[in-house]
Amino acid sequence: MIIERPHFDRRALLFGMGALSLPLGLSACASVGSSAEATPLGLDRLPLTQDVLNRFVAAGRLPGLAVGVALPEGGKAFVQAGTLDFGSFTRADRDTLFRIYSMTKLITGAAAAILMEEGRFGLDTPVADLIPEFASLKVATNPARGLAGRPAVNTMTIRHLLTHTAGFTYAHTGNNAIQREYAKQGAFMATSSRGDAPLPASYDELITRLADIPLMFEPGTKYEYGISIDVLAIVIERAAGMPFGAFVQRRILDPLAMQDTVWRLREGDAQRLAALYNYGSNGTGPRQPVPNTSAADLSRPVPIPFAGSGLLSTASDYIDFLTMLLNDGAGGRRRIMKPETARLLRSDILPEGLTANGGGHGFGGWVARVGHKRAGEFGWSGNASTQAWIDPAHNFAAVLMMQALPYRSVNVLDELRPVLDADLGISR
């Protein structure tokens, strides 16, 4: 295990003493470190970023939040502000636990990339080669009206699962006949409140439930955000010959020492969990606690480790994961995947002629295409407004950890990104 040993100097000490005069909950310290050390540098490195975080807390918009950055010159920086909850005295920091929801998808995409590197399957391998239950899939003739279907013409591939072009959907993103059937069968993301059946007890059971529900469209013909990354988990299980969660732990989380990235809240960790609120559709409240997301709820055994939405993580852990992707598969002294695999993972692999919300798509995350403001970036977000991205052209990565539903109801990201660029000396 790598231990970051702090190095103190007189200027940092004086700054830290001055920070004691700030109102509780605001932070005036950005810590910067590498694998060898973590040096408090105050506002020297990311002052504009720190100011944005402080303002959201001071205005009462959020109880607390944290940002981790893999710096262009090497090393890591963290800025944070506020506390774990309104009225709490525990400060948010790099080790605060956040529900990252769909940022889990990037980790699942990396697991698929490792198996692809080993030759277990390819981008265009038919999914039915590993999930024979999908050999006779149907496509709905009119999903708005019913579940009537016809045999699928196109072959569903691994590429389609990775890019949400397989024909699946989510139960909570609409109310057509297929989405209602997902809810009825319990085939929905772990955090959904819809559903008449209990969550599946295994990925095999999830696949059995999905096999009889028609697809929304022919594979490879449309982008529709949905449950395909959870379907990818059983591809990983069967290709690896071990449970999905065990494979992720062994090949990604353990080698990167991501000890705080978990599907189930561990005993004693409740005091590190950030509070989650629903702020209403326009972000102006009144804010409400979110059912089924408390520390007690998250401490219960999970039926399956949901590949598309299930993880808890910290700014410290997740920036280590992003740094590995940025460094072409190298995580510290460990190599998680070959350089060419990491570059493929973050490249645009969408079927020809398609876009994903106007851009491209890689292994579980978006890819900004040429003509976009940030072409070449790769990343993904979480339902509670978390965001992660890497910028290979400018050699940095960043993660925003916060907890606000619906997604971007409290819009920190639009203010954060330009000031982070400015702190890093990047012009767009």
Side-chain angles (χ1 to χ4, degrees):
M1 181 175 66
I2 298 171
I3 300 175
E4 295 189 345
R5 293 182 173 85
H7 166 77
F8 299 101
D9 60 24
R10 181 175 180 273
R11 180 182 58 162
L13 179 60
L14 291 173
F15 181 85
M17 293 171 64
L20 295 176
S21 64
L22 289 174
L24 180 63
L26 294 187
S27 171
C29 180
S31 59
V32 179
S34 66
S35 60
E37 66 177 42
T39 306
L41 294 182
L43 302 181
D44 292 12
R45 193 63 184 90
L46 303 173
L48 301 176
T49 302
Q50 183 69 71
D51 182 60
V52 168
L53 271 57
N54 285 350
R55 285 191 286 107
F56 273 88
V57 171
R61 304 286 306 283
L62 293 166
L65 65 172
V67 169
V69 183
L71 299 166
E73 66 270 24
K76 296 172 288 184
F78 298 91
V79 292
Q80 55 275 321
T83 57
L84 300 191
D85 198 354
F86 295 105
S88 170
F89 291 94
T90 304
R91 293 184 182 274
D93 61 22
R94 69 177 76 179
D95 296 319
T96 296
L97 288 161
F98 294 86
R99 304 155 191 81
I100 65 169
Y101 294 135
S102 287
M103 279 176 15
T104 305
K105 290 177 170 68
L106 295 189
I107 294 175
T108 302
I114 290 168
L115 289 168
M116 198 171 295
E117 177 180 296
E118 294 177 351
R120 309 292 182 93
F121 50 77
L123 277 175
D124 297 314
T125 297
V127 171
D129 285 2
L130 290 138
I131 307 180
E133 295 94 325
F134 283 179
S136 302
L137 289 172
K138 293 184 178 181
V139 176
T141 53
N142 189 342
R145 301 188 64 178
L147 296 175
R150 54 168 177 76
V153 174
N154 295 353
T155 299
M156 183 190 296
T157 68
I158 305 299
R159 181 191 305 270
H160 298 148
L161 294 180
L162 286 164
T163 59
H164 298 286
T165 57
F168 297 112
T169 184
Y170 266 137
H172 66 282
T173 56
N175 194 37
N176 65 32
I178 294 174
Q179 290 158 332
R180 291 194 298 271
E181 188 66 16
Y182 275 29
K184 181 179 178 181
Q185 296 297 328
F188 49 87
M189 64 188 291
T191 53
S192 174
S193 60
R194 291 184 58 187
D196 302 321
L199 291 172
S202 67
Y203 273 111
D204 288 326
E205 186 176 335
L206 174 64
I207 294 304
T208 298
R209 296 182 190 186
L210 285 174
D212 293 330
I213 304 173
L215 301 173
M216 288 268 287
F217 50 84
E218 285 284 349
T221 63
K222 183 181 176 182
Y223 173 86
E224 169 83 15
Y225 190 51
I227 202 168
S228 64
I229 300 298
D230 290 299
V231 172
L232 184 65
I234 197 166
V235 171
I236 292 169
E237 284 196 346
R238 294 180 180 182
M242 69 175 70
F244 165 73
F247 182 80
V248 170
Q249 193 73 43
R250 182 179 299 182
R251 300 299 298 272
I252 298 174
L253 303 183
D254 285 347
L256 292 176
M258 295 173 66
Q259 298 176 358
D260 289 325
T261 301
V262 294
W263 272 281
R264 179 187 180 187
L265 191 66
R266 298 168 301 198
E267 185 176 355
D269 277 350
Q271 65 268 26
R272 292 201 290 138
L273 180 68
L276 172 64
Y277 289 95
N278 189 310
Y279 288 78
S281 59
N282 60 4
T284 60
R287 61 177 183 262
Q288 300 288 336
V290 180
N292 305 317
T293 64
S294 70
D297 294 316
L298 297 175
S299 298
R300 298 188 183 107
V302 293
I304 56 177
F306 277 85
S309 60
L311 282 172
L312 303 168
S313 191
T314 65
S316 182
D317 268 12
Y318 210 88
I319 201 62
D320 285 345
F321 171 70
L322 294 177
T323 300
M324 180 274 293
L325 297 183
L326 182 66
N327 291 342
D328 288 343
R333 297 180 180 179
R334 302 290 298 272
R335 178 157 289 283
I336 306 302
M337 61 186 71
K338 294 177 181 178
E340 57 268 30
T341 304
R343 290 192 288 267
L344 174 65
L345 181 155
R346 63 184 196 234
S347 66
D348 188 357
I349 61 167
L350 265 178
E352 186 175 356
L354 297 185
T355 66
N357 296 323
H361 211 283
F363 281 49
W366 50 261
V367 177
R369 288 181 170 175
V370 174
H372 292 191
K373 185 176 181 180
R374 299 173 181 270
E377 286 190 347
F378 170 74
W380 201 246
S381 56
N383 197 34
S385 304
T386 57
Q387 187 83 34
W389 71 98
I390 66 173
D391 185 340
H394 298 98
N395 195 38
F396 85 94
V399 61
L400 165 65
M401 291 295 199
M402 55 180 287
Q403 303 281 254
L405 290 172
Y407 175 61
R408 291 178 75 169
S409 54
V410 180
N411 193 0
V412 177
L413 190 66
D414 283 352
E415 293 191 39
L416 173 70
R417 296 204 63 170
V419 299
L420 179 57
D421 283 348
D423 277 338
L424 299 178
I426 296 169
S427 59
R428 300 283 180 177

